[in-house]
Amino acid sequence: LSQSCISYGREAPEGVSAEARSALAPHAPQWSVHAGEAHRAAGGYPGCLVEKASWLAALGALKEQAGFNLLVDHTAVDYPDRTPERFTVLGLVSNLETQERIMVRTRVADGGAVPTLTHLWKSADWAERETFDMFGIRFDGHPELTRIYMPHDFDGWPLRRDFPMQGHSRFRD
């Protein structure tokens, strides 16, 4: 697994707890090399990339085995020139007892889907609906994947980088 603007390695950066390393190990995480002390000092968190097939299991393991009991953020990033997996979906989780945070990423193609995290964290409900509404990424198993910001008849996904800067002119409220 690699990405043009971030390089990945097999070793977890310093500061990632033994519990988190152990929980993620079966999911073959590729750790961000920029996730060291200097990156955290600038407001970043250790991050890893997992295959889409391991997305749900990796985050579930962090919650159940390593105490990451809060889903802080859950969203996506659009890389329109990257094929075949245009989007990176990410979840930032926190262990409230130790204050440790880890960002877990996976990739999905345009038109593809990622397993929902709603049965792990209730807060994933609205975050996944927002990601669907803004990027068009589906979450398999989500209880009510509908738009929350844009009108239901809106055509397009406003946070995709190829969305027209002026928006669409036809709009019904």
Side-chain angles (χ1 to χ4, degrees), residues 17-33:
S17 68
E19 294 82 7
R21 290 172 199 245
S22 176
L24 287 170
H27 309 290
Q30 296 294 306
W31 293 92
S32 307
V33 298

Side-chain angles (χ1 to χ4, degrees), residues 53-131:
S54 294
W55 167 253
L56 181 59
L59 283 155
L62 281 172
K63 181 178 183 182
E64 299 303 321
Q65 298 170 27
F68 285 80
N69 47 7
L70 176 67
L71 179 65
V72 177
D73 198 8
H74 183 17
T75 189
V77 180
D78 182 13
Y79 296 93
D81 297 330
R82 186 176 68 196
T83 57
E85 297 167 318
R86 174 179 178 162
F87 300 101
T88 296
V89 175
L90 61 93
L92 177 62
V93 293
S94 179
N95 179 323
L96 293 175
E97 187 176 316
T98 65
Q99 299 301 304
E100 181 180 9
R101 289 185 174 192
I102 295 178
M103 184 176 295
V104 181
R105 300 177 185 95
T106 194
R107 295 181 179 160
V108 63
D110 193 1
V114 177
T116 186
L117 300 178
T118 55
H119 66 282
L120 293 175
W121 295 283
K122 296 285 186 200
S123 61
D125 182 7
W126 286 89
E128 289 176 356
R129 289 179 69 189
E130 177 181 47
T131 302

